[in-house]
Amino acid sequence: MTDQSLLTHPVPDASASSQPPAGRPKKVFVKTYGCQMNVYDSDRMTDALARDGYVPTDTAEDADLVLLNTCHIREKAAEKVYSALGRLRELKKKKGAEGREMMIGVAGCVAQAEGDEILRRAPAVDLVIGPQTYHRLPDALRRVRGGERVLETDYAIEDKFEHLPAPDKARTLARGVTAFLTVQEGCDKFCTFCVVPYTRGSEVSRPLAQVVAEAEKLAAAGVRELTLLGQNVNAWHGEGEGGQTLRLGDLLHRLAEIPGLARLRYTTSHPRDMDDSLIAAHATLPALMPYLHLPVQSGSDRILKAMNRRHTASDYIALITRIRAARPDLALSGDFIVGFPGETDQDFEETLEVVKAVGYAQAFSFKYSTRPGTPGAELKDQVSEAVKAERLERLQALLLSQQQAFNQACIGRDIDLLLEKPGRMPGQLIGRSPWLQSVNVDAKGVEIGDIIRVRITAAGPNSLFADVVD
Ligand code: SAH
Ligand code: SF4
Ligand code: F3S
């Protein structure tokens, strides 16, 4: 950042000593919790702050502004925020004693859900900003510098994406050859365990032209693999140039035309929104990677009903059979909750049965966490912590064995590998397989961003190993 940008953005009202010394740019440290959408949002906030002269830094010690981009999905996730704020308060005090100012902001889903409470419980916090108002961040910071404690959690009427800067070329390059792009946000499904409809608001799709323009920018900056994001990404819908309704399958086809973009993915999907055109895209679109994250949560129809998932276990299995018919080498990933209120041993056994029937390459499983304000919190028959722990352990053992079996089955196969970053040893590179595995390979005369043909030779606990195939 040049002096110029500091000059063009004078900071009102602050004493000279609280500003970074002349010539040193203001620094922001963003700590991201939660899902991929928060990762995307953190990058957008960083880009918005760059306009105000902020450069990113890796430590709070070094920062003039610390932003916690928080997650509310489970109790533990939300608690992390308050312990982080406790540490930051001490740091702010210490810096204050040295005449250095540090602003603290809380963004993300905890900000949206508990805005007032954060300001009450954590006096060191200067700013609370919800996910739908990130475009107002620079303005909110000006208000903080004017002496206000700012709470910005109303849903904005304007489209934040119209006002947030598109990904910057240099920063995109620095972030690597894979990128996220939010195409849909919010949720109208109201699963009874889940806070997302309350923290992210109702379901909104970004218009086709906006998504295409952003994808083109990312591709021009060197991105080879794009993951489209949404809480219900397969509910995305838009309008084509002729006014026709477009669905996610159509969007994927459009994005696959962008020069440079070799690979597409999307996450997270709801089983109810896997329509025929999306399934067909898995058969007809080579750029669409053979990997699908399709959460089922439980294998018991009784529990699925209580969760308001609006599908049965057999609906889910039948759906997977159809998707696999379209793309036989598809790998599946899922999310599971154990110990939802009323879950019996029999219900849990049915979850294990679904896992066995599907066979997952990867999965995420959680103990049910009661979230205030959700219908699940009102239910009787909450399951004890001990039972949840025992069920989680059994489920995770099964899922881990499936993951290991999947990785073992890759040995001997030739695959296309997208080179992502240097490995630990000289000459070694780390790439990403079509099934989202991390693969180590020794390769010469290649560059990050290249897609090369390799043969998988071994599978370790966290990554695979491969040799280049001529
Ligand atoms: N939109 C996605 C999931 C978003 S949240 C979907 O519909 O699948 C990511 C995962 O967190 C969920 O799939 C669920 O498995 C888990 N989760 C959500 N709320 C939870 C809660 N209250 N307790 C435990 N896990 C929860
Ligand atoms: Fe939450 Fe259900 Fe919406 Fe997923 S579909 S975000 S689990 S309410
Ligand atoms: Fe967490 Fe919000 Fe994502 S609650 S999982 S950060 S949508």
Side-chain angles (χ1 to χ4, degrees), residues 33-35 37-38 70-73 109 195-196 199-200 231:
Y33 303 85
C35 63
M37 194 174 285
N38 266 9
T70 63
C71 175
H72 201 243
I73 202 79
C109 290
V195 293
V196 170
T199 64
R200 290 278 170 172
Q231 269 86 35

Side-chain angles (χ1 to χ4, degrees), residues 73-74 193 231 295 297 309 335 337 366-367 369 371:
I73 202 79
R74 286 167 289 274
F193 51 81
Q231 269 86 35
Q297 315 297 355
R309 287 293 289 184
D335 289 343
I337 295 176
F366 313 98
K367 288 187 225 169
S369 168
R371 306 310 290 129

Side-chain angles (χ1 to χ4, degrees), residues 1 5-6 9 11 19-20 25-29 45-57 63-66 101 103 137-138 141-142 145 171:
M1 201 50 48
S5 68
L6 287 169
H9 297 272
V11 181
Q19 289 310 299
K26 291 176 286 180
K27 292 188 182 173
V28 56
F29 172 62
M45 286 192 275
T46 307
D47 290 340
L49 289 167
R51 282 178 170 174
D52 266 14
Y54 280 96
V55 296
T57 174
D64 305 288
L65 166 64
V66 175
E101 193 189 358
M103 286 192 275
L137 182 59
L141 289 176
R142 274 186 279 280
R145 289 189 203 101
R171 278 187 298 277

Side-chain angles (χ1 to χ4, degrees), residues 73 186-197 231-232 268 270 297 307-309:
I73 202 79
C187 183
D188 295 337
K189 294 270 190 303
F190 291 94
C191 301
T192 53
F193 51 81
C194 183
V195 293
V196 170
Q231 269 86 35
N232 258 303
T268 296
H270 192 286
Q297 315 297 355
M307 286 175 163
N308 191 32
R309 287 293 289 184

Side-chain angles (χ1 to χ4, degrees), residues 13 64 86 114 231 251 288 327 361 442 446 458:
D13 229 39
D64 305 288
E114 300 183 4
Q231 269 86 35
L251 176 63
L288 184 54
R327 185 78 205 232
D442 287 312
V446 292

Side-chain angles (χ1 to χ4, degrees), residues 159-272:
D159 174 3
K160 69 173 167 184
F161 293 112
E162 290 286 342
H163 299 273
L164 281 168
D168 164 88
K169 189 166 180 175
R171 278 187 298 277
T172 300
L173 262 177
R175 286 168 192 150
V177 295
T178 61
F180 295 128
L181 201 176
T182 294
V183 301
Q184 178 283 330
E185 192 169 352
C187 183
D188 295 337
K189 294 270 190 303
F190 291 94
C191 301
T192 53
F193 51 81
C194 183
V195 293
V196 170
Y198 313 96
T199 64
R200 290 278 170 172
S202 54
E203 199 179 286
V204 176
S205 293
R206 291 180 69 183
L208 175 75
Q210 217 186 56
V211 172
V212 171
E214 189 167 325
E216 284 172 345
K217 277 227 161 70
L218 290 166
V223 168
R224 306 298 318 277
E225 177 178 306
L226 194 58
T227 302
L228 308 184
L229 299 182
Q231 269 86 35
N232 258 303
V233 70
N234 55 346
W236 182 89
H237 54 92
E239 206 178 277
E241 277 101 18
Q244 73 279 29
T245 301
L246 302 178
R247 299 300 315 259
L248 188 64
D250 306 306
L251 176 63
L252 288 163
H253 275 280
R254 175 66 189 82
L255 295 175
E257 291 168 9
I258 296 175
L261 273 189
R263 292 179 162 196
L264 297 170
R265 304 177 187 275
Y266 60 93
T267 198
T268 296
S269 299
H270 192 286
R272 288 272 298 221

